[in-house]
Amino acid sequence: MILILAGITTFLSIGRREYPEFTIRTAKVFAAYPGRTTVQVEQEVTEVLEQKIREMPEVKEILSTSESGLSILSVEITDDYSGAELENLWTDMRDKIDDAELPQGAAVVGVNDDFGDTYPYIYAVSGDGYTPKELYDVAEDLRDLVLDLEGVGKVSIHGDLQERIYLEYSTSKFAAYGFTTGFVQGKLRDQNVAISSGEADFGNHRLKINTLGEFKSIEELSDYQISRTGDAVSVRIADRFEITRDYEDPPETLSHFNGERVVCVAVSMKDGEVVSKVGDTLEEGIARFQQTLPIGLEIERMFFQPIYVDASVANFFVNLGQAFFFVILVMLLFSGWRLAVIVGLLVPSVCLFCFALMPTFGVELEMMSIAALIIALGILVDNAVVVCEQILNRLNEGQNRKDAVVNSIKGLMIPLLAGSGTTIAAFAVIATAEGSAAEFTFSLFAVVSLSLIGSWLLSMTIIALFCYNFLKP
């Protein structure tokens, strides 16, 4: 009863996901060097960053790409380091990058080491007649709501179009005034900033002074005047440019669903959560949020992982039922109904044994662990069959029940354990390997091992007890 209750309780609460977790030991480094050729970027930025990062002994490989004005480095850490240690390694790498002596005008614009997040739930925000800005605002409100729900980890928005201010001009007229594109860009960039202008004492207080030059509206930008050094006459921006507000073109990212442009809201769950439970919570929260939206705005599911996880679990129970049925059928045909029932009971008992102990080894219910259970169904009955046959043979020889059971267990305990250990050893390569592939398949080794150990343990105890009470010569 304890085994049954522990197994059922753990099965209902154990974390569930489609794929097992594994560590991605790669980070991307992006550095900008505007206006420089590919060769200059390679020699002055890429090589400098590579040499600095290679000072870390933990680095396994660096792959770099140099483009005009842009350097991209992919840094891979050796397999010796676990996911818990990577955060400190990435911090060390950032410190190394900060110490790199880059040329004037070059700068590291980003370090991305967040490749391990998965999003089991993706929703599409759409609305006929609504602007991309309006869809993005709804997506932001949805993100704020979802982040407050139980079990939710991160929420990210994809496919949103950023607004831009475009200045269009006539090339011939522009050149007549002696202006260049770089000159105008520099003037606008220098003006559109907020900088510190020092500090001032006011009585007992010291206040910081910031100079605000940012453009607050298109009108402010239109009225801004520029002039070349030494010129007495300045030119108003609106007199030489056609100013429009629009969305970035071409866009960096686009999201479509059912042929319609949408904004995607991707949701991840916290470690150890049940994907279907978090999914139910999300569905309830989004349903309430949908009721507050104007007519025409819709939130639809693009991807919902609980559907696939539930299908995998259901498929496992189908396989479990088939295994139970065929074990009973074969044993019934060749050994009688008593032996068939006793051996058949081992199948669900071992599964419950595995469910009860899987969290101890950090194993969740996912693709690899379910596959391991299905594999184990074909081999876990061997121990019970051997024990039952041995006890039945001793009973047929005239031994009393107690002696038949005790002598059978004593004679089979070590051989059956050795046999199970041999099979476990075949899967041990997975546990002793290093790297992401080993992490991905570890649950295969863990669940098969638990199944065989559980089969041996239950065959030595519960199956033997059932044989004592129910088997007849």
Side-chain angles (χ1 to χ4, degrees), residues 441-455:
T441 56
F442 172 78
S443 56
L444 181 66
F445 161 77
V447 174
V448 169
S449 300
L450 284 175
S451 300
L452 293 173
I453 293 172
S455 172

Side-chain angles (χ1 to χ4, degrees), residues 147-220:
L147 283 171
D148 292 332
L149 298 178
E150 184 179 357
V152 171
K154 295 181 180 181
V155 180
S156 61
I157 298 176
H158 304 274
D160 55 303
L161 298 182
Q162 300 295 322
E163 287 187 300
R164 297 287 186 266
I165 303 297
Y166 291 96
L167 279 68
E168 300 179 7
Y169 59 90
S170 168
T171 305
S172 57
K173 293 181 179 179
F174 199 65
Y177 284 91
F179 291 156
T180 64
T181 303
F183 171 77
V184 176
Q185 287 177 340
K187 286 288 187 180
L188 295 178
R189 183 173 56 249
D190 293 342
Q191 175 64 26
N192 193 39
V193 294
I195 60 175
S196 176
S197 299
E199 299 177 343
D201 293 328
F202 290 89
N204 296 326
H205 301 281
R206 176 175 289 272
L207 303 179
K208 292 183 177 181
I209 300 175
N210 291 330
T211 301
L212 303 178
E214 296 173 301
F215 297 117
K216 303 297 184 183
S217 64
I218 292 183
E219 287 72 21
E220 286 189 14

Side-chain angles (χ1 to χ4, degrees), residues 27-28 46 50 54 61-65 72-76:
K28 292 279 189 180
T46 303
E50 281 188 8
R54 285 196 183 278
E61 184 180 37
I62 300 178
L63 301 177
S64 62
T65 302
I72 304 174
L73 289 84
S74 178
V75 182
E76 184 178 355

Side-chain angles (χ1 to χ4, degrees), residues 177 179 225-228 230-236:
Y177 284 91
F179 291 156
Q225 298 185 357
I226 59 175
S227 63
R228 294 179 302 175
D231 285 356
V233 180
S234 59
V235 178
R236 184 169 170 265

Side-chain angles (χ1 to χ4, degrees), residues 39-306:
V39 175
Q40 289 175 313
V41 171
E42 173 70 23
Q43 295 176 347
E44 300 178 29
V45 177
T46 303
E47 290 183 0
V48 173
L49 291 175
E50 281 188 8
Q51 292 172 6
K52 204 65 182 178
I53 294 173
R54 285 196 183 278
E55 294 178 3
M56 298 176 60
E58 301 87 355
V59 173
K60 177 181 179 181
E61 184 180 37
I62 300 178
L63 301 177
S64 62
T65 302
S66 298
E67 302 175 0
S68 178
L70 179 65
S71 173
I72 304 174
L73 289 84
S74 178
V75 182
E76 184 178 355
I77 301 297
T78 60
D79 296 333
D80 301 330
Y81 297 90
S82 65
E85 298 172 304
L86 282 181
E87 189 64 35
N88 292 331
L89 292 179
W90 297 140
T91 301
D92 293 342
M93 187 183 72
R94 286 184 172 90
D95 293 339
K96 292 288 185 182
I97 292 173
D98 291 340
D99 293 339
E101 296 181 0
L102 298 178
Q104 185 177 2
V108 175
V109 296
V111 178
N112 185 7
D113 57 31
D114 194 10
F115 291 100
D117 291 330
T118 57
Y119 296 93
Y121 324 92
I122 303 177
Y123 293 88
V125 179
S126 62
D128 188 21
Y130 289 88
T131 66
K133 178 65 167 59
E134 292 171 329
L135 295 180
Y136 179 72
D137 290 340
V138 173
E140 282 192 318
D141 293 338
L142 178 60
R143 177 181 61 189
D144 295 339
L145 178 143
V146 168
L147 283 171
D148 292 332
L149 298 178
E150 184 179 357
V152 171
K154 295 181 180 181
V155 180
S156 61
I157 298 176
H158 304 274
D160 55 303
L161 298 182
Q162 300 295 322
E163 287 187 300
R164 297 287 186 266
I165 303 297
Y166 291 96
L167 279 68
E168 300 179 7
Y169 59 90
S170 168
T171 305
S172 57
K173 293 181 179 179
F174 199 65
Y177 284 91
F179 291 156
T180 64
T181 303
F183 171 77
V184 176
Q185 287 177 340
K187 286 288 187 180
L188 295 178
R189 183 173 56 249
D190 293 342
Q191 175 64 26
N192 193 39
V193 294
I195 60 175
S196 176
S197 299
E199 299 177 343
D201 293 328
F202 290 89
N204 296 326
H205 301 281
R206 176 175 289 272
L207 303 179
K208 292 183 177 181
I209 300 175
N210 291 330
T211 301
L212 303 178
E214 296 173 301
F215 297 117
K216 303 297 184 183
S217 64
I218 292 183
E219 287 72 21
E220 286 189 14
L221 176 61
S222 300
D223 293 334
Y224 182 67
Q225 298 185 357
I226 59 175
S227 63
R228 294 179 302 175
T229 303
D231 285 356
V233 180
S234 59
V235 178
R236 184 169 170 265
I237 290 292
D239 294 337
R240 295 292 174 261
F241 293 90
E242 180 180 346
I243 305 173
T244 57
R245 182 195 295 269
D246 205 343
Y247 297 97
E248 58 182 351
D249 185 23
E252 291 186 5
T253 60
L254 282 176
S255 296
H256 286 82
F257 182 61
N258 291 334
E260 183 180 2
R261 183 175 294 181
V262 299
V263 176
C264 297
V265 179
V267 184
S268 68
M269 65 178 184
K270 295 178 180 177
D271 293 339
E273 293 289 342
V274 179
V275 68
S276 54
K277 180 180 178 181
V278 177
D280 292 340
T281 304
L282 268 175
E283 290 290 285
E284 294 175 4
I286 291 176
R288 294 193 301 269
F289 181 74
Q290 176 73 66
Q291 296 175 357
T292 66
L293 297 179
I295 296 176
L297 275 172
E298 297 291 338
I299 300 176
E300 302 174 89
R301 291 192 314 202
M302 292 183 67
F303 177 73
F304 198 66
Q305 196 178 86

